[in-house]
Amino acid sequence: MAMPKEQFFLILISFSFLIYPSQSSLSYNYYSKSCPNFNKIIQETVTSKQITSPSTAAGTLRLFFHDCLPNGCDASILISSTPFNSAERDADINLSLPGDAFDLVTRAKTALELSCPNTVSCADILATATRDLVTMVGGPYYNVLHGRKDYRISKSSYVEGNLPRPTMPMSKIISLFAAKGFSVQEMVALSGAHTIGFSHCKEFKSYLYNDTHYNQRFAQALRNACADYPKNPTLSVFNDIMTPNNFDNVYFDNLGKGLGLLESDHGLYNNPMTNPFVEIYAKDEKKFFQDFARAMEKLSVYGIKTGRRGEIRRRCDAIN
């Protein structure tokens, strides 16, 4: 017997909610009653940590990207490996994620558990702390919805191919972001996060001797800075050598002068699809801030887990 049309559409709609996580359960005042001091506690924790460790902002922004892009903003990056499971944070590309960023989330979670136990997700902590830190170092304020749940799964095997590497051709990076629903312009705007932070010498040293995209004086300075890299693999250089601690548009201006640090930086400037946006952002910081804020709002709800698809972890580094 044929299924009634109304029943068919009802089943189809119900199935679509299983595939695409609803954002309807998220809101800007999600914790207004259950944890009224949520924003205050995050802000105090962020301020204290950033003052003590000025690299926290860049580290947390990177941690947020590495959490969201593989399979959504669900705090799966925070889970520690066990003898039975290799978690995302132990994928090779994540081994250099800074300890300060993990420590910030732990501090915020501890304070929030004292104030409102079993209420705030680690995913919401990371998303909100990232926004507050971007603003604290001069970047744009953007809205962050709350109500994410923490995912119960974290596997290192999920990471490969889902995060851009500095050695990737720009065409592949564009495709990676496109597969996740992000336009070329959004990808370039998000790449502006390199206006703060640093990269280890291993990420670019091999290009310093034969890549003509570098300003030659800059290349020589980098060769000198990384000379002891084989003995000291922790050696690193600021992504934006002009204003390394300020979130601004100078990163984009640097690219046109051959002062990009990574091969992917040079790719942004030299690829005909990305160059127009690099040029716009180099000239217009307000435009960059607007586009970055919109892209971050979009990224922050990518692949979120709500309802029974997640949980509120008691500890951010372990599933309940």
Side-chain angles (χ1 to χ4, degrees):
M1 185 173 68
M3 183 183 294
K5 187 180 293 183
E6 293 81 1
Q7 186 178 351
F8 174 77
F9 281 118
L10 184 61
I11 292 173
L12 190 63
I13 290 169
S14 299
F15 182 67
S16 71
F17 277 109
L18 294 175
I19 299 174
Y20 304 107
S22 171
Q23 295 176 25
S24 61
S25 56
L26 272 63
S27 70
Y28 295 118
N29 58 355
Y30 188 86
Y31 297 114
S32 60
K33 293 181 180 178
S34 60
C35 191
N37 289 324
F38 167 75
N39 286 312
K40 181 173 180 284
I41 290 171
I42 293 288
Q43 188 61 251
E44 288 175 351
T45 308
V46 159
T47 301
S48 173
K49 181 65 178 178
Q50 178 66 14
I51 289 172
T52 306
S53 305
S55 64
T56 300
T60 305
L61 183 54
R62 183 169 175 236
L63 181 65
F64 177 71
F65 281 141
H66 283 231
D67 181 45
C68 294
L69 280 175
N71 58 358
C73 303
D74 55 16
S76 53
I77 189 67
L78 304 175
I79 294 174
S80 295
S81 292
T82 69
F84 310 102
N85 179 61
S86 177
E88 287 178 30
R89 65 193 290 178
D90 282 328
D92 67 332
I93 195 172
N94 288 332
L95 293 176
S96 61
L97 288 171
D100 281 329
F102 290 98
D103 180 61
L104 169 67
V105 175
T106 300
R107 291 186 186 197
K109 180 64 171 174
T110 301
L112 286 163
E113 285 298 304
L114 290 172
S115 179
C116 35
N118 304 316
T119 302
V120 180
S121 69
C122 303
D124 277 350
I125 291 172
L126 180 55
T128 308
T130 300
R131 188 273 312 280
D132 288 356
L133 282 163
V134 166
T135 306
M136 190 174 176
V137 295
Y141 180 91
Y142 55 91
N143 295 313
V144 175
L145 287 161
H146 297 131
R148 298 165 190 77
K149 293 294 178 66
D150 302 321
Y151 204 28
R152 299 184 184 92
I153 300 171
S154 178
K155 294 187 178 294
S156 58
S157 59
Y158 291 174
V159 176
E160 184 58 40
N162 282 303
L163 282 171
R165 292 181 179 271
T167 55
M168 273 185 182
M170 186 50 52
S171 58
K172 189 170 183 180
I173 295 177
I174 290 171
S175 296
L176 189 154
F177 275 86
K180 299 175 186 300
F182 291 87
S183 68
V184 173
Q185 182 166 12
E186 288 167 335
M187 184 275 289
V188 176
L190 290 171
S191 298
H194 280 171
T195 183
I196 54 175
F198 55 84
S199 295
H200 290 96
C201 289
K202 70 174 182 178
E203 303 289 0
F204 57 85
K205 192 173 187 297
S206 62
Y207 294 94
L208 294 176
Y209 299 92
N210 53 17
D211 191 329
T212 58
H213 297 133
Y214 284 103
N215 174 292
Q216 289 309 298
R217 288 179 61 190
F218 181 50
Q220 184 57 54
L222 291 176
R223 287 193 286 268
N224 294 339
C226 294
D228 289 334
Y229 159 68
K231 297 178 183 177
N232 183 6
T234 63
L235 281 175
S236 55
V237 177
F238 287 120
N239 292 323
D240 171 4
I241 60 166
M242 297 302 187
T243 57
N245 297 313
N246 297 336
F247 196 102
D248 52 30
N249 68 332
V250 175
Y251 162 77
F252 291 107
D253 191 47
N254 289 343
L255 299 184
K257 300 174 180 176
L259 301 178
L261 185 63
L262 304 171
E263 187 65 10
S264 55
D265 295 333
H266 300 151
L268 278 178
Y269 186 76
N270 293 303
N271 185 285
M273 292 181 69
T274 53
N275 176 268
F277 302 116
V278 172
E279 298 282 9
I280 290 169
Y281 296 152
K283 295 185 179 76
D284 190 343
E285 184 175 82
K286 184 179 179 181
K287 174 65 173 168
F288 164 50
F289 277 19
Q290 288 173 343
D291 289 353
F292 180 83
R294 278 196 292 266
M296 286 295 284
E297 288 177 356
K298 179 175 176 177
L299 177 63
S300 71
V301 294
Y302 172 71
I304 54 167
K305 314 301 186 291
T306 59
R308 295 181 180 179
R309 297 192 70 220
E311 63 183 9
I312 304 294
R313 284 187 213 138
R314 288 185 288 272
R315 290 176 45 132
C316 288
D317 64 350
I319 299 162
N320 292 343

